Amino acid sequence: MKDSYQVIIVGGGFAGISTARELGRKGIDVLLIDKNTYHQFQPLLYQVASSQIGVSEVARPIRSIFRRYKSVKVLHETVTSIDAKARSVVTDSGRSLSARILVIAAGAVPNFFNTTGAEEQAFPLYSVADAIRLGTKIDEEMNAAAPEPDSAVDVLVIGGGPTGVETAGAIAENIRYVYPGYYSPEFARRCTVHLVDMIPKVLAPFSEQSQAYTAERLKAIGVRLHLGTGVSEVRDDGVTLADDSQIPGQIVVWAGGLKAGQVITDSGLTTGRGGRVDVTPELTAPDIDGVYVLGDSANIVDARGDHLPQLGSVAQQSGKWAAKNIIADLQGLPRTPFGYVDKGYMAMIGRGAAVAEIGRRRIRMKGFFAYMAWLLVHVALLSGTRQKVGAVVSWTQNYLTNNRSHVVLDPQN
């Protein structure tokens, strides 16, 4: 493998894959580097953890995505350092690679906001490995507690954004509808899901109507809301809140936010909110030529100057747009500012219940129609045909029955 390329892309997430695919269609020489052999669909990881869908529905081999693009090469190694000014990277094998244009789409890591014990005790949900660990922990705790008299399992979800709401709703529905058939109904009734957030409302980016409906539906399936007070400590037996009150629980799920990883911090790039890079309107790193920063590694603003959320749709669109600008760079043509198409927000609450605010005008939907819209959008976003078909089959079974056919297996056990 040669050491210099037209384009090196660090990261095989939504942004990196979109960029590489567009460049591959033009026959541009690309090296895509990612430590994983698969591209993971992060919005559905909570469904893997709750056994609603299988790993094969959210993970697709990266090499299979680019088998038709002969100019795109894939390297499965971890990038340990980035020299942005030199447009070069070093991998964990000691390999040094450089390019005419460097694209940094290295994703993010959980942001625990220096909360005592959170990194050691809480379960983040940002990777397939995270989902497997969480699903295994839930299964272990349920199986251990079920035979004991008067026992219960409490799950605490930290974060009232879409990931927190969807995770809390999925686990609560399992407790309410699935576990009574697996364990005793009495045991299932004693188990509880708690949703905790320092913000006084769930789904902060949504309208008040969507927030109210979401809170109502969560309560209806047994989720206990603790809003308006942050978490000061995470322990192995629960959490302590900022007002010194405590919530006991065997499992703490962290859905409290993300930040850029250390490889971005050490890259020589100027970072802003969340440790991410404040990119130019053309998606390039400021003051450094030939470097693009995308996805969860970047703070991107729209034409009005508003910060765009860390969503898969933003990452995908930015990846495609960056590819257009890279092609312009290689041809000596001017770049164009990123033209983001606002598709709105969605969040699944449970079976037959979701909220959606579509487009820039935020056309609001809730209940079953929002649920169906959520399903259609996520089917469209899934990477491959195998993944789309598998997800549809699983969702249909989950809607019609109180059974979960998927098993979450921790390879370390």
Side-chain angles (χ1 to χ4, degrees), residues 282 284 292 321-337:
E282 294 79 24
T284 60
Y292 288 77
W321 201 278
K324 290 170 53 178
N325 279 340
I326 290 169
I327 293 169
D329 288 342
L330 295 174
Q331 295 175 345
L333 300 174
R335 305 170 184 140
T336 55

Side-chain angles (χ1 to χ4, degrees), residues 110-120 231-234 240 254 256-257 259:
N111 190 348
F112 296 106
F113 300 100
N114 298 317
T115 304
T116 302
E119 186 170 0
E120 296 79 15
V231 173
S232 62
E233 182 182 6
V234 178
T240 300
W254 192 269
K259 64 179 181 179

Side-chain angles (χ1 to χ4, degrees), residues 8-20 31-36 38-39 62 66 75 77 79 82 102-107 294 297:
I8 288 178
I9 300 174
V10 179
F14 289 123
I17 293 293
S18 295
T19 307
L31 177 66
L32 176 68
I33 309 174
D34 194 279
K35 66 179 181 179
N36 296 318
Y38 53 85
H39 165 66
I62 292 177
F66 297 106
L75 176 63
E77 294 185 9
V79 171
I82 297 173
L102 176 64
V103 179
I104 303 173
L294 310 173
S297 298

Side-chain angles (χ1 to χ4, degrees), residues 210-232:
S210 295
Q211 292 170 349
Y213 174 80
T214 300
E216 175 188 337
R217 289 301 306 165
L218 287 172
K219 292 176 183 177
I221 57 176
V223 177
R224 297 184 185 178
L225 302 181
H226 307 264
L227 304 175
T229 304
V231 173
S232 62

